[in-house]
Amino acid sequence: MTDFIPTPTAPAPDILRCAYMEVVVTDLAASRAFYVDVLGLIVTEEDESAIHLRTFEEFIHHNLVLRQGAIAAVAALSYRVRAREDLDRAVTFYEELGCRVERRAEGFTKGIGDSVRVEDPLGFPYEFFHDVQHVERLAWRYDLYTPGALVRLDHFNQMTPDVRRAVSYMEDLGFRVTEDIQDAEGTVYAAWMRRKPTVHDTAMTGGDGPRLHHIAFATHEKHNIIAICDKLGALRRSDAIERGPGRHGVSNAFYLYLRDPDGHRVEIYTQDYYTGDPDNPVVTWDVHDNQRRDWWGNPVVPSWYTEASLVLDLDGSPQPVAARTDASEMAVTIGADGFSYTRPDDASDELPSWKQGEYKLGHRL
Amino acid sequence: MTDFIPTPTAPAPDILRCAYMEVVVTDLAASRAFYVDVLGLIVTEEDESAIHLRTFEEFIHHNLVLRQGAIAAVAALSYRVRAREDLDRAVTFYEELGCRVERRAEGFTKGIGDSVRVEDPLGFPYEFFHDVQHVERLAWRYDLYTPGALVRLDHFNQMTPDVRRAVSYMEDLGFRVTEDIQDAEGTVYAAWMRRKPTVHDTAMTGGDGPRLHHIAFATHEKHNIIAICDKLGALRRSDAIERGPGRHGVSNAFYLYLRDPDGHRVEIYTQDYYTGDPDNPVVTWDVHDNQRRDWWGNPVVPSWYTEASLVLDLDGSPQPVAARTDASEMAVTIGADGFSYTRPDDASDELPSWKQGEYKLGHRL
Amino acid sequence: MTDFIPTPTAPAPDILRCAYMEVVVTDLAASRAFYVDVLGLIVTEEDESAIHLRTFEEFIHHNLVLRQGAIAAVAALSYRVRAREDLDRAVTFYEELGCRVERRAEGFTKGIGDSVRVEDPLGFPYEFFHDVQHVERLAWRYDLYTPGALVRLDHFNQMTPDVRRAVSYMEDLGFRVTEDIQDAEGTVYAAWMRRKPTVHDTAMTGGDGPRLHHIAFATHEKHNIIAICDKLGALRRSDAIERGPGRHGVSNAFYLYLRDPDGHRVEIYTQDYYTGDPDNPVVTWDVHDNQRRDWWGNPVVPSWYTEASLVLDLDGSPQPVAARTDASEMAVTIGADGFSYTRPDDASDELPSWKQGEYKLGHRL
Amino acid sequence: MTDFIPTPTAPAPDILRCAYMEVVVTDLAASRAFYVDVLGLIVTEEDESAIHLRTFEEFIHHNLVLRQGAIAAVAALSYRVRAREDLDRAVTFYEELGCRVERRAEGFTKGIGDSVRVEDPLGFPYEFFHDVQHVERLAWRYDLYTPGALVRLDHFNQMTPDVRRAVSYMEDLGFRVTEDIQDAEGTVYAAWMRRKPTVHDTAMTGGDGPRLHHIAFATHEKHNIIAICDKLGALRRSDAIERGPGRHGVSNAFYLYLRDPDGHRVEIYTQDYYTGDPDNPVVTWDVHDNQRRDWWGNPVVPSWYTEASLVLDLDGSPQPVAARTDASEMAVTIGADGFSYTRPDDASDELPSWKQGEYKLGHRL
């Protein structure tokens, strides 16, 4: 049985959107080469210990902070709130939950003012802020665009052992579910949740956690994503491509997953849909539907299911990782005991050899 | 001096987004051919007198109602509100403004429930509703997509004599300005305002009004817009293309303007930017900047400035049209007394012959 | 040692381009659904036993003939020659090679006139023709275009045991090599050859043969290929996708491989380069270069290497299949004894887990 | 009556393709900024007096030479021939025509070997060469690509008074007509001719000449052309855009016309069709068809019809310009005496106000 997190009596802060992530990298120069030279993120400010990066359409100081450190991990998932008073609400909300809370009037990173950081009930380092330095929105600066220009931070994706428990807490925090993956028994394998009216500001992916599954940046069109792959090939860095490009079933977006020099996963993402109405229909996918993760039925590599980034507590130490409590999505869809189908109503449906990927190993050996 | 509309003491309804437009057309079959056969909008429901259409990503009953009638005009600009109570707020808000208000529990069009229609202070037939019939969101139905598939209703654009006055009223109604066009004297020529976090749900364009300048639908990518042009050429209906395709300065979106069989203007639009933060920077364009309306400096045809659709009062009679009170954008940018520049800091800047379009007639004749 | 085919003293026919393929399918209705309803090829003419299809930019009668039959196989790979006299040359050329030759003044398929069919030295049913019925070139008919419109037949790809032997014969026939895959010992794993100035009209892929590896159609842009995948997903036919989409190293084209209802492989292809100069540089790829088949280093599914279509002799019986004589590309690049690299100069280079695909099974089990 | 140029008895050289153009520019730094910094052409070699540029898919030394000089003009339209002997053929062919011929074993520009330059019967400086220095084909260098990367030289376009006369001579030189524009009386307004199997290597446009109408480079996709426009806007150089972007009727390609700092016209072009068969159907357009020049019926600016670059004789002096002898395309399609239609079978067809462009001035004033 899920051990639900109690709903605070205090109101949740009014969150606008996911705003930035702070990531510890072990070789700042190597990370700069990846995020700036290859992906083309804009440097707002940098020094020897940290680089503050933003996307082309952003007007706040940064969407990503790379900080040199000893252990590759995520230091903060940061959300912008509507007003300064929402920081007080965040403090009260998390204190009622018994979480460790730290507030700094001067902010934790450059360009950001008064901020609240917490170790949330799932073990993630969440940050909330309102005050921020404005910088030039480069949306019209087509003289600076690369073929794969990243225009917005789109979302985070977190790995956590119990998705139902995580969703319940996130709903208390004011998020709404837009899509999820379940099985006939009601096990939830992943859920997508939003504040801004896109498919998500963050998602909860079932797995050993707390860990960060990925951060996602948006491009304008599908060819922009293809251009990133082509460039990686030209630089003989194609091994940074972990999965895709492809079309998601969930979210209907076109996607690509990369791994940065520390193994942090980065998604490039484009074209999901408007979800801002309160009665926006929730889409629930069957975990055995072979098009849920990739609309074209292309196999998901095992590393995508199993690998993720450590997250830090407020002292900068890695949070311990707890094992997934429910069934594993990888196990129930592939391998000797798992199955997937293309056509739900076709009892004899079996994936052709080229769609079994590396999963039905038992069938092949 | 602008005669401002007083701010009601009653709170405004909480508007989610522009949701649909009801349009009177004089030849329903001809309009069906245009909107369904050419543009590929989805028919939710139709009979001999009306057709209810939606876009591929929509889950509410319709985004456009075509109704057979004697006079081509716009019967309603309809917004969805967050909750039923917002309909009460709408009634109170507009009654305080002295507007004519009509509420129908059964709605004014099929698929929509309890609705409030008003003749707003600017003379436009605004509608508000919450209850609505859900229909299949066809986002994943790529078997039905055409090369120019329309995926969302994006915005309305209204023509009104005094833009400052209109903006002030719309701000009272809860809208925020994202961009506008002004001159050095502070004359406002047009303003873009949003509820959902895009550049606009509606815009106010200075001109004789109240009239409807256009309705805009979104596509995913720029090639979708080009495909619509190509199809119109193949059908020998290229004369439906009034302006574009091109890149807007304002909004940074890629655009195309069409004229339907009654002359109603339809924009196809893609790729503006996120505006949902309360301190989202407002972009003010100089009316003499030749890239404000078209980022490539291509000329705007005069019809685009001068022609627009009549709007109806709640009895179905056309609203009388009042003349623009401030200076005309067309007059101040072209012709003997107007001017436009490409480089604001270049005193000697003069447009080359091919950019003067049909405007600097005095120079050519 | 390669047993080379002697060079005829007679001149080769002047071949313009690959023109069409005749394929035997076991369920004509199922094949029609695939090629017409899903892929959108244009029906020029059809009856109960055969369907003649063409692409949007074609002006000759067809690019593909589907013929109902008992055994799924390829009946003809057909090339158009410059003039009628080239048919006489084809007869003389192949008779000198000792091949079986059949000429029919009325042609072998509808819409085609005087034709020569041969069982070529590699065992393939090659056809040559000049006279052909012209039909409407639908290039401008954008009212008929689908999001994944196929605009040209691009090339064939043949599987044959000894690639050097095959290339030598094809050069005698007037083809030129544009790219190939070799190893340090000079083993040739595949070669691409052209008459028209693209990367190929046909390719020779090392493997058990004679078999047909695939037929390829061109689209205009990359998004057209993505649209085909999306549509297959919507139709719950994503299991027709065998490999891709992706970027080829060889040819630099963007690609997708499908399998039709009989398992015949179809490539969708876009954007290779001009090769028409006599000194066009030949590009030779190292078989161990992990970007040669997919520029992004994504794994090639084993079925793509091993499965192919039977070809028929002039009596309509399947040609016997001989085993590959040289090393297998799959064996030398994957598995216990094979290897691939991303960076040729990096001795320690090893593919990350997600790039090893299903190949390095020994490492995983 | 057309005064036809006699057909030489000597065979024509075997021309492969248009290969490069040499252009005199009056401010080399300004031209470098345009062609290199804005358009992204690759510098193969440069010094103070000349810059040699190529496209991403080119393997010969250059496609464009910019040479500093006093008078903006075109010094050579250069074609590559199949073999060295074709240079002898070129000499004989043009000497028989009584043309001035100059041959230089060391070539006229860097990177090119033995070359023949002539003042051709139409007054154009034509060059032929075979030997050329090979350079790296950058097709796979996606790390260098810009959003509007130019990948090939596609064609030239020449302005000449008598198109029938020009076509007859070009057919003698081995070119084939693919499309043309005529009226009911048989007047030819323009013709497109090819050696390589695209719509053209050069076109003859009726007008005062000899002058160079434009040089055209190819991109891969339509969005690449849009990216060039967007970048020009960002650089506040949008006044370099003369016409488009749009879809051609003739050629079916997507296009954009720019003007370089000297006024030389440059087209960016993508996606015409294969024309390599000897019986490739010629498409003849009615000069009154409003979709012939722009498939969307958008108006052609007058400068596009009237302005062009001077061409030089072999001494480097501008060739005198002779007036168009037949009717002017601009005059017969616009203005008081001209007309255009969208639907050929619609007697009452009249363009709407927004399609009349700047032409039907008489109707508007």
Side-chain angles (χ1 to χ4, degrees):
Chain A
M1 287 295 290
T2 292
D3 171 30
F4 283 106
I5 297 158
T7 300
T9 57
D14 186 352
I15 295 171
L16 292 167
R17 54 162 171 146
C18 62
Y20 83 89
M21 198 164 82
E22 180 181 347
V23 188
V24 178
V25 299
T26 60
D27 180 343
L28 191 60
S31 293
R32 192 187 195 285
F34 181 76
Y35 288 101
V36 178
D37 300 337
V38 177
L39 293 184
L41 286 172
I42 307 293
V43 178
T44 298
E45 198 172 350
E46 64 182 324
D47 57 27
E48 315 79 56
S49 66
I51 307 174
H52 295 69
L53 299 166
R54 72 182 193 276
T55 53
F56 273 83
E57 293 183 359
E58 187 56 80
F59 72 96
I60 66 170
H61 188 266
H62 56 256
N63 300 124
L64 181 67
V65 179
L66 305 175
R67 190 175 304 284
Q68 173 74 43
I71 300 173
V74 173
L77 293 82
S78 183
Y79 295 92
R80 192 168 192 212
V81 295
R82 186 168 302 277
R84 290 170 188 167
E85 306 80 61
D86 288 303
L87 295 185
D88 302 328
R89 289 192 192 97
V91 170
T92 309
F93 182 88
Y94 281 102
E95 286 184 341
E96 184 174 346
L97 283 169
C99 295
R100 178 172 169 191
V101 175
E102 186 177 339
R103 183 169 184 167
R104 286 196 199 164
E106 75 285 11
F108 293 81
T109 64
K110 291 186 182 176
I112 310 285
D114 189 11
S115 306
V116 172
R117 283 196 176 179
V118 306
E119 293 172 11
D120 89 349
L122 306 177
F124 288 93
Y126 263 34
E127 179 184 273
F128 305 92
F129 74 92
H130 175 76
D131 288 344
V132 64
Q133 183 181 332
H134 285 207
V135 291
E136 185 188 356
R137 179 174 251 159
L138 298 170
W140 288 264
R141 291 296 303 277
Y142 292 103
D143 51 323
L144 303 179
Y145 274 57
T146 58
L150 305 181
V151 295
R152 285 185 298 280
L153 170 65
D154 194 85
H155 63 264
F156 308 135
N157 187 307
Q158 308 169 235
M159 193 168 266
T160 192
D162 183 335
V163 176
R164 276 198 181 281
R165 183 169 181 267
V167 166
S168 169
Y169 146 64
M170 291 296 285
E171 288 177 334
D172 290 342
L173 190 56
F175 284 74
R176 289 173 174 279
V177 172
T178 56
E179 306 200 25
D180 61 13
I181 296 177
Q182 302 195 18
D183 62 19
E185 291 72 40
T187 306
V188 181
Y189 295 87
W192 285 257
M193 284 160 296
R194 64 105 187 163
R195 286 293 305 173
K196 68 175 158 45
T198 62
V199 170
H200 51 327
D201 285 280
T202 193
M204 293 293 167
T205 298
D208 305 347
R211 293 188 297 166
L212 191 283
H213 193 271
H214 65 263
I215 182 173
F217 297 98
T219 66
H220 278 141
E221 301 198 336
K222 296 181 285 289
H223 63 80
N224 300 119
I225 289 183
I226 293 167
I228 292 171
C229 298
D230 289 340
K231 184 175 180 181
L232 286 164
L235 295 170
R236 288 285 162 180
R237 296 188 65 161
S238 64
D239 48 356
I241 300 173
E242 183 187 35
R243 180 186 158 205
R247 169 77 66 189
H248 282 307
V250 174
S251 83
N252 204 24
F254 192 74
Y255 73 86
L256 170 72
Y257 291 98
L258 305 176
R259 299 293 288 271
D260 86 357
D262 281 293
H264 297 306
R265 188 178 287 109
V266 177
E267 183 178 13
I268 319 295
Y269 182 94
T270 191
Q271 292 162 24
D272 59 6
Y273 57 91
Y274 169 82
T275 62
D277 285 14
D279 54 348
N280 179 68
V282 175
V283 180
T284 292
W285 297 77
D286 181 356
V287 72
H288 300 292
D289 180 348
N290 195 44
Q291 295 187 179
R292 75 197 181 290
R293 289 283 185 188
D294 184 277
W295 185 244
W296 311 334
N298 281 341
V300 179
V301 292
S303 64
W304 190 90
Y305 279 122
T306 59
E307 302 178 9
S309 297
L310 294 174
V311 300
L312 302 179
D313 64 21
L314 297 190
D315 296 318
S317 301
Q319 289 279 13
V321 172
R324 164 80 168 154
T325 42
D326 287 314
S328 140
E329 182 172 341
M330 186 165 75
V332 302
T333 56
I334 61 171
D337 300 323
F339 70 97
S340 294
Y341 57 78
T342 301
R343 285 165 291 277
D345 52 350
D346 185 353
S348 67
D349 189 38
E350 183 168 1
L351 299 180
S353 60
W354 53 84
K355 286 300 188 191
Q356 296 172 8
E358 41 221 316
Y359 305 138
K360 297 205 174 175
L361 298 177
H363 291 207
R364 267 219 306 287
L365 299 181
Chain B
M1 287 296 291
T2 291
D3 170 31
F4 283 105
I5 297 157
T7 300
T9 58
D14 186 352
I15 295 171
L16 293 167
R17 56 163 170 145
C18 62
Y20 82 89
M21 198 165 82
E22 181 181 345
V23 187
V24 178
V25 299
T26 60
D27 180 342
L28 191 58
S31 294
R32 192 187 195 286
F34 181 77
Y35 287 101
V36 178
D37 300 338
V38 177
L39 293 184
L41 286 171
I42 308 293
V43 178
T44 299
E45 199 172 348
E46 64 181 324
D47 59 25
E48 314 80 57
S49 66
I51 306 175
H52 295 69
L53 299 167
R54 73 181 191 278
T55 53
F56 273 83
E57 293 182 0
E58 188 54 81
F59 73 95
I60 66 170
H61 188 265
H62 57 256
N63 300 124
L64 181 65
V65 180
L66 305 174
R67 189 174 305 284
Q68 173 73 44
I71 299 173
V74 173
L77 292 83
S78 184
Y79 295 91
R80 192 166 192 215
V81 295
R82 185 169 302 276
R84 289 170 189 166
E85 306 79 63
D86 288 304
L87 295 186
D88 302 328
R89 288 191 193 98
V91 169
T92 310
F93 182 90
Y94 281 102
E95 287 184 342
E96 184 174 345
L97 283 169
C99 296
R100 179 173 169 191
V101 175
E102 187 176 340
R103 182 168 186 168
R104 286 195 198 165
E106 75 285 8
F108 292 81
T109 64
K110 290 186 181 177
I112 310 286
D114 189 12
S115 307
V116 172
R117 284 197 175 177
V118 306
E119 294 173 9
D120 87 350
L122 307 177
F124 287 93
Y126 262 34
E127 180 184 273
F128 305 92
F129 73 93
H130 175 78
D131 289 344
V132 63
Q133 184 181 330
H134 286 207
V135 290
E136 185 188 355
R137 178 174 252 160
L138 298 171
W140 289 265
R141 291 296 303 276
Y142 292 103
D143 52 321
L144 303 179
Y145 274 58
T146 57
L150 304 181
V151 296
R152 287 185 297 279
L153 171 65
D154 193 86
H155 63 263
F156 308 134
N157 187 309
Q158 307 169 237
M159 194 169 263
T160 192
D162 182 335
V163 176
R164 278 197 180 278
R165 183 170 182 265
V167 166
S168 169
Y169 147 64
M170 292 296 285
E171 287 177 334
D172 290 343
L173 190 56
F175 285 74
R176 288 174 176 278
V177 172
T178 56
E179 304 199 26
D180 61 12
I181 295 177
Q182 302 194 18
D183 61 20
E185 290 72 43
T187 307
V188 181
Y189 294 87
W192 286 256
M193 284 160 295
R194 65 104 187 164
R195 287 292 305 173
K196 66 175 159 47
T198 62
V199 170
H200 51 326
D201 285 280
T202 193
M204 293 293 167
T205 297
D208 305 347
R211 293 187 297 166
L212 190 283
H213 192 271
H214 65 264
I215 182 173
F217 297 98
T219 65
H220 279 141
E221 302 199 335
K222 296 181 284 289
H223 64 80
N224 299 118
I225 288 182
I226 293 168
I228 292 171
C229 297
D230 289 339
K231 183 175 180 181
L232 286 164
L235 294 169
R236 288 284 161 181
R237 295 188 66 161
S238 63
D239 49 355
I241 299 173
E242 184 189 33
R243 179 185 158 206
R247 168 79 65 190
H248 281 307
V250 175
S251 83
N252 204 23
F254 192 73
Y255 72 86
L256 171 72
Y257 291 98
L258 305 176
R259 299 292 290 271
D260 86 357
D262 282 295
H264 298 306
R265 187 178 289 108
V266 178
E267 182 179 15
I268 319 295
Y269 182 94
T270 192
Q271 292 161 26
D272 58 6
Y273 57 91
Y274 169 81
T275 62
D277 285 14
D279 54 348
N280 179 69
V282 175
V283 181
T284 291
W285 297 77
D286 180 355
V287 72
H288 300 292
D289 180 348
N290 195 45
Q291 295 186 180
R292 75 198 182 288
R293 290 283 185 189
D294 184 276
W295 185 243
W296 311 334
N298 280 340
V300 179
V301 292
S303 63
W304 190 90
Y305 279 122
T306 59
E307 302 178 11
S309 296
L310 294 174
V311 299
L312 301 180
D313 65 21
L314 297 190
D315 296 318
S317 300
Q319 288 278 16
V321 173
R324 165 79 168 155
T325 42
D326 287 314
S328 141
E329 182 172 341
M330 186 164 76
V332 302
T333 56
I334 61 173
D337 301 322
F339 69 97
S340 294
Y341 57 78
T342 301
R343 285 166 291 277
D345 51 351
D346 184 354
S348 68
D349 190 40
E350 184 168 1
L351 299 180
S353 60
W354 52 85
K355 286 300 188 192
Q356 297 172 7
E358 41 221 317
Y359 305 139
K360 298 204 175 176
L361 297 178
H363 291 207
R364 268 219 306 286
L365 298 182
Chain C
M1 288 295 291
T2 292
D3 171 32
F4 284 105
I5 297 158
T7 300
T9 57
D14 186 352
I15 295 171
L16 292 167
R17 56 163 170 146
C18 62
Y20 82 90
M21 198 164 81
E22 180 181 346
V23 188
V24 178
V25 299
T26 61
D27 181 342
L28 191 59
S31 294
R32 191 187 196 285
F34 180 78
Y35 287 101
V36 178
D37 300 337
V38 177
L39 293 184
L41 286 171
I42 308 293
V43 178
T44 299
E45 198 171 350
E46 65 182 322
D47 57 27
E48 314 79 55
S49 66
I51 307 175
H52 296 69
L53 299 167
R54 74 182 191 277
T55 53
F56 273 83
E57 293 182 0
E58 188 55 81
F59 73 95
I60 67 171
H61 188 265
H62 57 257
N63 301 123
L64 181 65
V65 179
L66 306 173
R67 189 174 306 283
Q68 174 73 44
I71 300 173
V74 173
L77 292 83
S78 184
Y79 295 90
R80 192 167 192 214
V81 295
R82 184 168 303 276
R84 289 169 189 168
E85 306 80 62
D86 289 302
L87 295 185
D88 303 327
R89 289 191 193 98
V91 169
T92 309
F93 182 90
Y94 281 103
E95 287 183 341
E96 185 175 344
L97 283 169
C99 295
R100 180 173 168 190
V101 174
E102 187 176 338
R103 182 169 185 166
R104 286 196 198 165
E106 75 286 9
F108 293 81
T109 64
K110 290 186 181 175
I112 310 286
D114 189 11
S115 306
V116 172
R117 283 197 176 178
V118 306
E119 294 172 9
D120 88 351
L122 307 176
F124 287 93
Y126 263 34
E127 180 183 274
F128 305 92
F129 73 92
H130 175 77
D131 289 344
V132 63
Q133 183 182 331
H134 286 207
V135 291
E136 185 188 356
R137 178 174 253 160
L138 298 171
W140 289 265
R141 291 295 304 275
Y142 292 103
D143 52 322
L144 303 179
Y145 274 58
T146 57
L150 305 180
V151 296
R152 287 186 296 279
L153 171 65
D154 193 87
H155 63 264
F156 308 135
N157 186 309
Q158 307 169 235
M159 194 169 265
T160 192
D162 183 334
V163 176
R164 278 198 180 279
R165 183 170 182 265
V167 166
S168 169
Y169 147 64
M170 291 297 284
E171 288 177 334
D172 290 344
L173 190 56
F175 285 74
R176 288 173 176 279
V177 172
T178 56
E179 305 199 26
D180 61 14
I181 295 177
Q182 301 194 19
D183 61 20
E185 290 72 42
T187 306
V188 182
Y189 294 87
W192 286 255
M193 284 160 296
R194 65 104 188 164
R195 287 293 305 173
K196 66 175 159 46
T198 62
V199 170
H200 51 327
D201 285 280
T202 193
M204 293 293 167
T205 298
D208 305 347
R211 293 187 296 167
L212 190 283
H213 192 271
H214 65 263
I215 182 173
F217 297 99
T219 65
H220 279 142
E221 302 197 337
K222 296 181 285 288
H223 64 80
N224 300 119
I225 288 184
I226 293 168
I228 292 171
C229 297
D230 289 339
K231 184 176 179 180
L232 286 164
L235 295 169
R236 288 283 161 182
R237 295 188 66 161
S238 64
D239 49 356
I241 300 172
E242 184 189 33
R243 180 186 158 204
R247 168 78 64 189
H248 281 308
V250 174
S251 83
N252 204 22
F254 192 73
Y255 73 86
L256 170 72
Y257 291 98
L258 305 176
R259 299 292 290 270
D260 87 357
D262 282 294
H264 298 305
R265 187 178 289 108
V266 178
E267 183 179 14
I268 319 295
Y269 181 94
T270 192
Q271 293 161 24
D272 59 6
Y273 57 91
Y274 169 81
T275 62
D277 285 14
D279 53 349
N280 179 70
V282 175
V283 181
T284 291
W285 297 77
D286 180 356
V287 73
H288 300 291
D289 180 347
N290 195 44
Q291 295 187 180
R292 75 198 182 288
R293 289 283 185 187
D294 184 277
W295 185 243
W296 311 333
N298 281 340
V300 179
V301 293
S303 63
W304 190 89
Y305 280 122
T306 59
E307 302 178 10
S309 296
L310 294 174
V311 300
L312 302 179
D313 65 20
L314 297 190
D315 296 318
S317 301
Q319 288 279 15
V321 172
R324 164 80 167 155
T325 43
D326 287 314
S328 141
E329 181 173 341
M330 186 164 75
V332 302
T333 56
I334 61 172
D337 302 322
F339 69 97
S340 294
Y341 57 78
T342 301
R343 285 166 290 278
D345 50 351
D346 184 355
S348 68
D349 190 39
E350 183 167 0
L351 299 180
S353 60
W354 53 85
K355 286 301 187 191
Q356 296 172 7
E358 43 220 317
Y359 305 138
K360 297 204 175 176
L361 297 177
H363 291 208
R364 266 220 306 286
L365 299 182
Chain D
M1 287 296 290
T2 291
D3 170 31
F4 284 105
I5 297 158
T7 300
T9 57
D14 186 352
I15 295 171
L16 292 167
R17 54 163 171 146
C18 62
Y20 83 90
M21 198 164 82
E22 180 181 346
V23 187
V24 178
V25 298
T26 60
D27 180 343
L28 191 60
S31 293
R32 192 187 194 287
F34 181 76
Y35 288 100
V36 178
D37 300 337
V38 178
L39 292 184
L41 285 172
I42 308 292
V43 178
T44 298
E45 198 171 349
E46 63 182 325
D47 57 25
E48 314 80 56
S49 65
I51 307 175
H52 296 70
L53 300 166
R54 72 183 193 276
T55 53
F56 273 83
E57 293 182 0
E58 188 55 81
F59 73 95
I60 66 171
H61 187 266
H62 57 256
N63 301 124
L64 181 66
V65 180
L66 304 175
R67 190 176 304 284
Q68 173 73 44
I71 299 173
V74 173
L77 293 83
S78 183
Y79 296 91
R80 192 168 191 214
V81 295
R82 185 168 303 277
R84 289 170 188 166
E85 307 79 62
D86 288 303
L87 295 185
D88 303 327
R89 289 193 193 97
V91 169
T92 309
F93 182 89
Y94 281 102
E95 287 184 341
E96 185 175 345
L97 283 169
C99 295
R100 178 174 169 189
V101 175
E102 186 176 339
R103 183 169 185 167
R104 287 196 198 165
E106 74 286 9
F108 293 81
T109 64
K110 291 186 182 177
I112 309 286
D114 189 12
S115 305
V116 172
R117 283 197 176 179
V118 306
E119 293 172 10
D120 88 350
L122 306 177
F124 287 93
Y126 262 34
E127 179 184 273
F128 305 92
F129 72 92
H130 175 76
D131 289 343
V132 64
Q133 183 182 332
H134 286 208
V135 291
E136 185 188 357
R137 178 174 253 160
L138 298 171
W140 288 264
R141 291 296 303 276
Y142 291 104
D143 51 323
L144 303 179
Y145 274 57
T146 57
L150 305 180
V151 296
R152 285 185 298 279
L153 171 66
D154 194 85
H155 63 262
F156 308 135
N157 188 307
Q158 309 169 234
M159 194 168 265
T160 192
D162 183 334
V163 176
R164 278 198 180 280
R165 183 170 181 266
V167 166
S168 170
Y169 146 65
M170 291 297 284
E171 287 177 334
D172 291 342
L173 189 57
F175 285 75
R176 288 173 175 279
V177 172
T178 56
E179 305 199 25
D180 62 12
I181 296 177
Q182 301 195 17
D183 62 19
E185 291 72 42
T187 306
V188 182
Y189 295 87
W192 286 256
M193 285 160 294
R194 67 105 185 163
R195 286 293 305 172
K196 67 175 158 47
T198 62
V199 170
H200 51 327
D201 285 280
T202 194
M204 294 291 167
T205 298
D208 305 349
R211 292 187 297 167
L212 191 284
H213 193 270
H214 66 263
I215 182 173
F217 297 99
T219 66
H220 279 141
E221 302 199 334
K222 296 181 285 289
H223 63 81
N224 300 118
I225 289 183
I226 292 167
I228 292 171
C229 297
D230 289 339
K231 183 175 180 180
L232 286 164
L235 295 170
R236 289 284 162 179
R237 296 188 65 160
S238 64
D239 49 356
I241 300 173
E242 183 188 35
R243 180 185 159 205
R247 168 78 65 190
H248 282 308
V250 174
S251 83
N252 204 24
F254 192 73
Y255 72 86
L256 170 72
Y257 292 98
L258 305 176
R259 299 292 289 272
D260 85 357
D262 282 294
H264 297 306
R265 188 179 287 109
V266 177
E267 182 179 14
I268 319 294
Y269 182 93
T270 191
Q271 292 161 26
D272 59 5
Y273 57 90
Y274 169 81
T275 62
D277 285 14
D279 54 348
N280 179 69
V282 175
V283 181
T284 292
W285 297 77
D286 181 355
V287 72
H288 300 291
D289 181 347
N290 194 46
Q291 295 187 181
R292 76 198 181 290
R293 289 281 185 189
D294 183 277
W295 185 244
W296 311 334
N298 280 341
V300 179
V301 292
S303 64
W304 190 91
Y305 279 122
T306 58
E307 302 178 9
S309 297
L310 294 175
V311 300
L312 302 179
D313 63 22
L314 297 190
D315 297 318
S317 301
Q319 289 278 15
V321 173
R324 164 81 168 154
T325 43
D326 286 315
S328 140
E329 182 172 340
M330 187 165 75
V332 301
T333 56
I334 61 171
D337 301 322
F339 69 97
S340 294
Y341 57 78
T342 302
R343 285 165 290 277
D345 51 351
D346 185 353
S348 67
D349 191 39
E350 182 167 1
L351 298 180
S353 59
W354 54 84
K355 285 302 188 193
Q356 295 173 8
E358 41 221 319
Y359 305 138
K360 296 204 174 177
L361 297 177
H363 290 207
R364 267 219 306 287
L365 300 182

